[in-house]
Amino acid sequence: QVQLVESGGGSAQPGGSLKLSCQLSGSMYTGSTSSCMAWFRQAPGKEREEVAALNREGGVHYADFVKGRVTISQNNAKTTTFLQMNRLEPEDTAVYYCAAYPVEVRYFSPGVFACREFRAWGQGTQVTVSS
């Protein structure tokens, strides 16, 4: 059974930083890590949107609205995925979720990929940015 547990959320002032962590336990396939890990967020009244993704080969991509401000990374064991968020803006206020085990990872060109239909989700961690 796969379990994802996020932590690190909280309150921050505009311009501040937070580092979110996502602890992955269990495996969907024996001996196999997730081919892709991602962070999503959902603000009140808005749809969930992808923030960043990291594939098994170490490739990353970021949503345009966070480019240059966030970094997704993993520990060597690939059991914890991080989201370092800098220069936070009030618009970053949302519940942040991590996701694992996509149904598909599609590669469009070198360094360009998309992970689709994640099968495992965490419970979310609240991030609030306000002065």
Side-chain angles (χ1 to χ4, degrees):
Q1 184 176 357
V2 175
Q3 187 174 21
L4 297 170
V5 179
E6 302 97 334
S7 61
S11 297
Q13 292 189 337
S17 298
L18 284 173
K19 186 173 184 177
L20 307 183
S21 298
C22 172
Q23 179 72 37
L24 169 66
S25 59
S27 177
M28 193 160 288
Y29 308 105
T30 301
S32 175
T33 58
S34 178
S35 58
C36 180
M37 296 293 299
W39 284 95
F40 288 76
R41 72 183 188 186
Q42 187 167 22
K46 295 187 177 181
E47 292 193 354
R48 186 173 61 195
E49 56 188 358
E50 185 175 298
V51 177
L54 170 67
N55 66 25
R56 185 179 283 153
E57 293 77 28
V60 298
H61 72 70
Y62 300 99
D64 287 344
F65 53 80
V66 295
K67 273 183 181 176
R69 299 192 297 119
V70 306
T71 303
I72 186 171
S73 63
Q74 278 185 316
N75 64 352
N76 289 337
K78 299 187 186 298
T79 56
T80 305
T81 302
F82 305 100
L83 187 70
Q84 176 68 50
M85 303 191 294
N86 301 318
R87 303 200 308 275
L88 286 164
E89 303 170 353
E91 293 74 22
D92 295 322
T93 296
V95 178
Y96 284 71
Y97 301 89
C98 70
Y101 293 103
V103 170
E104 178 187 22
V105 180
R106 185 171 294 180
Y107 293 88
F108 299 99
S109 62
V112 182
F113 67 98
C115 307
R116 304 183 186 278
E117 298 183 50
F118 288 90
R119 288 172 285 190
W121 292 85
Q123 83 290 346
T125 185
Q126 176 70 46
V127 170
T128 302
V129 183
S130 70
S131 54

